[in-house]
Amino acid sequence: EVQLVESGGGLVQPGGSLRLSCAAAGFTFNTYAMSWVRQAPGKGLEWVSAISGSATSTYYADSVKGRFTISRDNSKTTLFLQMNSLRAEDTAVYYCAAREERGYSPFDYWGQGTLVTVSS
Amino acid sequence: DIQMTQSPSSLSASVGDTVTITCRASQGISNYLAWFQQKPGKAPKSLIYDASSLQSGVPLKFSGTQSGTDFTLTISSLQPEDFATYYCQQYNHYPYTFGQGTKLEIK
């Protein structure tokens, strides 16, 4: 059974940092590109960042570039998102999502999400 | 960045109705478009990929079509469990982008 389980969310002050994790199981992790997608309260879905299966390529939305860093540990089948200089507008549920690396491919799997609240 | 313009933003329909949601890409994305269903407090669920291919386990009442950069999701014979929010998403280029969402409500 495929599982993506996010953790690390919580309440943080503006300007603070947080590190999210996404533990994966049930599929060949290093053959899947991974993404973070977020959803602010009552709003739509926003893609945040992606990383290739081998971790050689990373991609970021302009809204987080220079503040967030995506990484992965294939030996532990875990995805990370280091979030620095957090702002109120980063408040959202953060989902990890997986897509098989075979050219253009859709998200196959989603986690259940972890809530990040940026507030003083 | 590729903009995905989804319409309508909300839709009211009755059980048994057929509804259509549209998504327009700001530039060509081939057929690299997915549709998702999301219920409150839940993760998105994939319905359709490659514009018209049904995900495994998704009922045939859901269908997707493409005409150039215009994409359509049709849901037939609406049931209570279909009332949710629907999103389109392009995966042709990073940054991946989503439509604004369509909230389907019971009339």
Side-chain angles (χ1 to χ4, degrees):
Chain A
E1 180 196 3
V2 170
Q3 282 194 322
L4 290 173
V5 180
E6 301 95 336
S7 60
L11 175 64
V12 61
Q13 292 188 337
S17 298
L18 213 54
R19 189 192 197 203
L20 305 184
S21 299
C22 170
F27 62 99
T28 308
F29 186 66
N30 63 5
T31 67
Y32 279 72
M34 299 297 296
S35 282
W36 290 97
V37 176
R38 69 184 180 184
Q39 187 169 37
K43 302 297 184 183
L45 299 167
E46 179 190 16
W47 174 85
V48 171
S49 182
I51 186 167
S52 62
S54 60
T56 53
S57 298
T58 58
Y59 309 87
Y60 297 93
D62 286 345
S63 57
V64 306
K65 202 172 293 182
R67 300 188 299 123
F68 290 11
T69 302
I70 191 170
S71 61
R72 63 192 295 161
D73 184 336
N74 285 345
S75 67
K76 296 181 179 177
T77 65
T78 303
L79 172 73
F80 303 101
L81 185 68
Q82 177 66 43
M83 304 186 295
N84 298 331
S85 303
L86 283 161
R87 306 166 179 167
E89 54 265 35
D90 296 317
T91 294
V93 173
Y94 284 73
Y95 297 99
C96 60
R99 68 171 190 87
E100 194 172 10
E101 273 191 324
R102 45 177 177 82
Y104 302 95
S105 57
F107 292 132
D108 293 317
Y109 313 121
W110 292 73
Q112 85 291 347
T114 187
L115 176 63
V116 172
T117 303
V118 184
S119 174
S120 55
Chain B
D1 297 358
I2 299 171
Q3 308 303 316
M4 303 302 297
T5 304
Q6 186 174 339
S7 61
S9 57
S10 65
L11 184 53
S12 183
S14 301
V15 171
D17 284 353
T18 294
V19 297
T20 297
I21 299 168
T22 298
C23 205
R24 173 170 289 175
S26 62
Q27 64 189 75
I29 59 170
S30 186
N31 64 332
Y32 303 128
L33 182 109
W35 289 98
F36 297 92
Q37 177 194 68
Q38 189 180 33
K39 296 183 178 179
K42 300 294 187 182
K45 173 188 174 183
S46 179
L47 301 173
I48 286 171
Y49 65 98
D50 291 351
S52 60
S53 297
L54 210 59
Q55 280 285 2
S56 175
V58 174
L60 294 173
K61 63 188 304 181
F62 293 95
S63 63
T65 59
Q66 175 185 5
S67 177
T69 57
D70 291 339
F71 300 85
T72 298
L73 172 69
T74 299
I75 313 169
S76 62
S77 187
L78 283 170
Q79 297 302 305
E81 60 269 23
D82 300 327
F83 292 91
T85 301
Y86 293 84
Y87 295 93
C88 62
Q89 178 240 331
Q90 66 81 18
Y91 48 94
N92 185 66
H93 277 302
Y94 287 122
Y96 290 169
T97 43
F98 291 86
Q100 301 94 319
T102 296
K103 187 173 184 179
L104 177 57
E105 299 175 304
I106 298 178
K107 186 182 289 183

